[in-house]
Amino acid sequence: MSDVPVSAVIADDHALVRAGLKEILAGLVPPVTVVGEAENGVEAIALGKALQPGLLLLDAGMPLSRGME
C-alpha cells in the first residue's frame, strides 16, 4: 500500500451523493482528500484543470456538460 496522498474532485449534481462519496473517500486507508466539488460538468472541467487531482469522480449525467465529455 502506498503512503502517497491522493487528491480527488467529486462531480455530481446531487449534494447528498457528493457528501456520501466524500465520507467514503475519507474513510479509506490512506484517506483520499477531496480538494474540490462540482455540481455540473462545466465546474468539473474547470476544477480538474485547476487542481489536477489524482482522482476525478464524475457523474455521467450532469447538467451543462456530461461527465464523459
Side-chain angles (χ1 to χ4, degrees):
M1 203 178 314
S2 173
D3 290 331
V4 176
V6 177
S7 61
V9 167
I10 300 172
D12 193 291
D13 54 324
H14 297 97
L16 187 58
V17 171
R18 292 193 312 270
L21 288 171
K22 193 173 183 177
E23 288 294 317
I24 291 168
L25 293 174
L28 296 176
V29 177
V32 175
T33 302
V34 176
V35 295
E37 296 182 38
E39 63 182 36
N40 61 58
V42 172
E43 288 178 5
I45 291 168
L47 285 175
K49 287 179 180 179
L51 300 174
Q52 297 290 304
L55 178 64
L56 185 55
L57 296 173
L58 300 168
D59 178 356
M62 289 181 293
L64 302 181
S65 179
R66 296 185 331 244
M68 299 304 290
E69 294 171 345

